[in-house]
Amino acid sequence: MIGARAALVLFTAFLAAAPFFLSEFYVTLMNYIGLSTLVALGLVLLTGVAGLMSFGQQAFVGVGAYTSAVLAVHYGASPWIGLAAGLALTGLIAVGLGVITVRLSGHYLPLSTIAWGISVYFLFGNLEMLNKHDGVGGLPPVAIAGWKLDTGRESYVLIWLVVLAALLAARNLLDSRSGRAVRALRFRATMAESFGIDTARLKLVIFLYAALLAGLSGWLYAHFTRYVSPGAFTVNMGIEYLFMAVVGGASQVWGAVIGASLLTLLKEWLKDILPTFFESSGNYEVIVFGLLMLPLLHRARDGLMPVLARLGRAGRRAPARVVTADPLPRRAGPAAGTPLLALAGVQKNFGGLAAVRALSFDMRAGEILGLIGPNGAGKSTAFNLVTGVLPSDAGEIRFCGGRIDALPARRIARLGIARTFQHVNLVGAMSVLENVAIGAHLRGAKGSVRAMLRLDRDEERRLLHEAAKQVERVGLTAHLNDASASLPLGQQRLVEIARALAADPVLLLLDEPAAGLRFQEKQALAALLRRLRSEGMSILLVEHDMDFVMGLVERLVVMDFGEKIAEGLPRDIQANAVVIEAYLGGIEEDAP
Ligand code: ADP
Ligand code: MG
């Protein structure tokens, strides 16, 4: 059994020793593995973590390679100029392509990356300046302070230093404020937006990062082989890169190394044996890869990395150590009793169904307002309108005096509204602590680049400290490092509350927080909500459990079929005939 750190040390030791005992042939092979690892690593982040599919990474490799090749061969530029120009061009194209496609859901991104890959391949093969299909040769080697890297072993040093740096940077990124946001992108985009994360921008950043890794790989490739031709950037290659990411383990940084190693070695081996089975030569290895993928993905859906990690303990990340840190600054809330939230004639239609109809109510700072009503009354929809998850069709919503009904969810979050979701919206594979830390996203500022360089540690400690404090508040400290999906539903609701509290909100919206809780847990939750109110928090509470609400709230708003049917003090509502009718609706009374 070996730990993650030991595995890293062993791997680095192997890399350092390899050029001394491997033959020229295997050193070259290792170089190709390193080059592929860079591209596959971008796909791990893009596809495995963020859930965006690209079949066009080979085209970015090509842009990085060709840019430097043309500048060096036609204009005598140094490879370092070529690197800067190649990355700049790759970045420009990635941003251009990303701005158009990344926001669109569904198949737009995969399809446009295929189209992009094909067109670049034909462009390379048909431009006179690029020597068409013959390619550009005679590239100079990279030189570092006068040291020319003109052998395979010397290129090896550069390639693997870059790969190691990229792997560590990617690992650092995933373990940070931005990383948590990226990991929420795939399945929890609505939640992420509700905590202030700009998901479209983040997707673009990841797409750009993956493209830059590919461009970097292309530059290294060009100056290692000293020759570029269109054949290295076919759509086949794009598919192979995806295979590598998937086989290795598309959501794990080290999976990129495993996938790239395995497929590169396998391809080399297949190149030797396949021609003995087939009459003519061709790219048969892609067919074999495809056939091998089926049983692999059947047995190990998440790729080989988790399987290997189970053998050792390498994949399991050490539980986060929460150390004390300076508390994050708090928001200055409005004075108790001032108008906080006001809905006026708010409307939401789903096709022919008016889920929320001309809904109006006011709420003051420091109160707990209950929003009740039978199933399907429109309570959750009203929440979604207030938080900007859904746009309203008519009416006005004001928060602290300002209109918010036209703002996107992440802007509303910034104003100090935090919520929980009726259908629990946690990142299942992430720990309780990390899930709650997403709530504090807007209380940090360090972005992806600083995270990669580990320049975010001070802020990160403060964010995690804050998250741990909120986890303790809801009584889940014992589960701090457990995957949130491993908790029973009732406790997952508590994690949702802790995450909302981590945002330091002015107004807290809770959608059926007591559902699934046991009696004692409900009592503890009620005590927590009372404590929050005494600290000046305003709470809008949707709840089904009447007993739970009655003892807790100042006032109630009752909805039925999208409309407000009553509003008042709990004991008046309890005696209100219209409300009783709505709740008991359809049940005939026997009494005369
Ligand atoms: P509640 O939270 O009070 O139980 P909801 O707000 O979830 O009620 O739902 C109100 C009505 O709107 C229901 O009839 C529900 O089926 C419908 N509804 C909710 N969300 C959607 C949606 N995204 N698309 C279509 N209909 C919806
Ligand atoms: Mg609901």
Side-chain angles (χ1 to χ4, degrees):
M1 295 290 226
I2 52 170
R5 197 164 287 265
L8 178 61
V9 170
L10 276 178
F11 178 64
T12 316
F14 166 77
L15 284 180
F20 296 105
F21 67 82
L22 290 184
S23 69
E24 195 66 39
F25 175 79
Y26 279 101
V27 167
T28 304
L29 213 55
M30 282 293 290
N31 286 351
Y32 280 115
I33 289 174
L35 294 169
S36 295
T37 300
L38 281 178
V39 188
L41 178 61
L43 283 174
V44 162
L45 294 174
L46 188 69
T47 305
V49 181
L52 301 168
M53 192 76 102
S54 168
F55 292 91
Q57 297 311 99
Q58 79 290 351
F60 291 118
V61 181
V63 170
Y66 264 103
T67 307
S68 199
V70 169
L71 287 178
V73 173
H74 292 332
Y75 303 98
S78 114
W80 298 110
I81 304 280
L83 174 64
L87 289 183
L89 188 57
T90 308
L92 270 178
I93 295 169
V95 169
L97 209 61
V99 162
I100 304 168
T101 55
V102 160
R103 280 162 202 269
L104 305 170
S105 54
H107 307 303
Y108 287 99
L109 184 67
L111 285 179
S112 58
T113 54
I114 291 175
W116 145 250
I118 293 173
S119 45
V120 166
Y121 171 72
F122 283 107
L123 192 72
F124 289 156
N126 288 298
L127 278 186
E128 199 66 62
M129 185 191 186
L130 304 182
N131 240 353
K132 297 194 169 176
H133 282 279
D134 294 334
V136 182
L139 273 69
V142 175
I144 302 171
W147 173 36
K148 276 201 164 99
L149 308 179
D150 49 8
T151 67
R153 272 171 226 274
E154 286 164 312
S155 292
Y156 173 99
V157 176
L158 179 64
I159 290 172
W160 278 99
L161 280 177
V162 170
V163 172
L164 270 181
L167 285 167
L168 292 177
R171 195 201 59 172
N172 291 348
L173 173 66
L174 288 181
D175 176 32
S176 75
R177 169 179 176 269
S178 299
R180 286 188 289 274
V182 174
R183 287 153 72 198
L185 276 182
R186 189 171 187 180
F187 300 114
R188 299 291 182 227
T190 303
M191 180 277 290
E193 289 274 338
S194 293
F195 285 96
I197 295 164
D198 187 342
T199 55
R201 186 178 161 275
L202 200 57
K203 285 177 181 174
L204 188 61
V205 167
I206 294 296
F207 188 65
L208 173 65
Y209 181 57
L212 289 176
L213 282 177
L216 185 58
S217 171
W219 175 76
L220 287 165
Y221 166 82
H223 293 280
F224 156 55
T225 61
R226 320 270 284 275
Y227 165 72
V228 293
S229 72
F233 314 113
T234 61
V235 177
N236 268 0
M237 276 312 295
I239 295 171
E240 275 180 33
Y241 289 133
L242 262 181
F243 275 167
M244 288 174 190
V246 173
V247 166
S251 62
Q252 315 226 14
V253 164
W254 296 97
V257 187
I258 293 168
S261 308
L262 207 69
L263 263 83
T264 307
L265 292 171
L266 196 63
K267 190 171 158 184
E268 201 51 44
W269 179 63
L270 289 173
K271 259 186 198 155
D272 289 341
I273 64 162
L274 283 185
T276 59
F277 294 107
F278 297 97
E279 292 285 300
S280 60
S281 66
N283 289 326
Y284 298 115
E285 59 273 10
V286 175
I287 301 170
V288 177
F289 287 165
L291 292 177
L292 287 175
M293 285 287 271
L294 295 177
L296 174 79
L297 291 183
H298 184 67
R299 297 300 299 266
R301 293 193 60 133
D302 299 322
L304 289 175
M305 182 64 199
V307 177
L308 294 178
R310 248 173 273 139
L311 293 179
R313 292 200 323 270
R316 196 186 303 167
R317 292 199 289 141
R321 268 175 299 128
V322 178
V323 290
T324 45
D326 291 340
L328 295 167
R330 300 278 315 263
R331 197 192 301 268
T338 51
L340 185 70
L341 180 72
L343 278 73
V346 174
Q347 180 89 17
K348 181 70 195 178
N349 306 317
F350 293 115
L353 172 82
V356 170
R357 260 188 264 202
L359 180 65
S360 306
F361 65 83
D362 296 319
M363 191 181 165
R364 293 184 173 277
E367 74 172 332
I368 302 186
L369 179 66
L371 183 61
I372 62 172
N375 247 328
K379 307 176 300 288
S380 294
T381 305
F383 261 40
N384 286 335
L385 298 177
V386 170
T387 52
V389 166
L390 291 173
S392 51
D393 295 326
E396 282 187 15
I397 305 174
R398 289 176 182 277
F399 179 67
C400 293
R403 284 279 293 264
I404 59 167
D405 43 273
L407 298 180
R410 63 172 183 280
R411 295 279 307 282
I412 294 175
R414 219 170 254 286
L415 299 175
I417 299 184
R419 65 171 296 175
T420 65
F421 292 85
Q422 183 181 353
H423 302 288
V424 170
N425 219 332
L426 301 171
V427 185
M430 247 157 77
S431 71
V432 167
L433 179 70
E434 289 177 297
N435 268 291
V436 174
I438 291 180
H441 187 85
L442 286 175
R443 300 172 78 183
K446 300 277 192 281
S448 324
V449 175
R450 279 187 227 221
M452 286 184 203
L453 300 172
R454 275 288 190 246
L455 296 175
D456 63 340
R457 290 298 97 181
D458 192 43
E459 179 184 282
E460 178 72 0
R461 266 193 296 278
R462 296 175 76 186
L463 291 174
L464 290 182
H465 183 61
E466 170 70 20
K469 214 163 66 187
Q470 303 303 346
V471 172
E472 186 183 356
R473 223 168 174 187
V474 300
L476 288 178
T477 301
H479 300 288
L480 206 61
N481 289 303
D482 295 351
S484 69
S486 71
L487 267 52
L489 192 62
Q491 293 188 339
Q492 293 193 24
R493 288 192 190 285
L494 295 178
V495 177
E496 288 254 328
I497 296 175
R499 183 178 61 199
L501 289 175
D504 184 28
V506 170
L507 171 61
L508 185 62
L509 282 78
L510 304 176
D511 200 344
E512 305 207 10
L517 293 189
R518 284 179 303 213
F519 183 69
Q520 275 96 344
E521 291 172 323
K522 278 188 189 176
Q523 303 249 296
L525 176 61
L528 171 67
L529 297 186
R530 284 198 192 92
R531 210 159 56 236
L532 288 172
R533 174 178 47 192
S534 71
E535 292 167 15
M537 181 84 74
S538 318
I539 303 172
L540 181 56
L541 176 68
V542 164
E543 192 44 70
H544 234 79
D545 185 335
M546 283 295 210
D547 295 336
F548 182 78
V549 192
M550 290 301 169
L552 201 60
V553 302
E554 268 93 35
R555 284 191 307 129
L556 282 167
V557 170
V558 190
M559 289 179 78
D560 193 18
F561 292 111
E563 283 179 312
K564 181 170 84 175
I565 56 167
E567 178 173 6
L569 301 174
R571 65 182 137 77
D572 297 339
I573 295 293
Q574 258 170 324
N576 185 315
V578 181
V579 176
I580 295 170
E581 170 66 25
Y583 262 86
L584 302 176
I587 300 176
E588 297 290 322
E589 289 186 56
D590 298 331

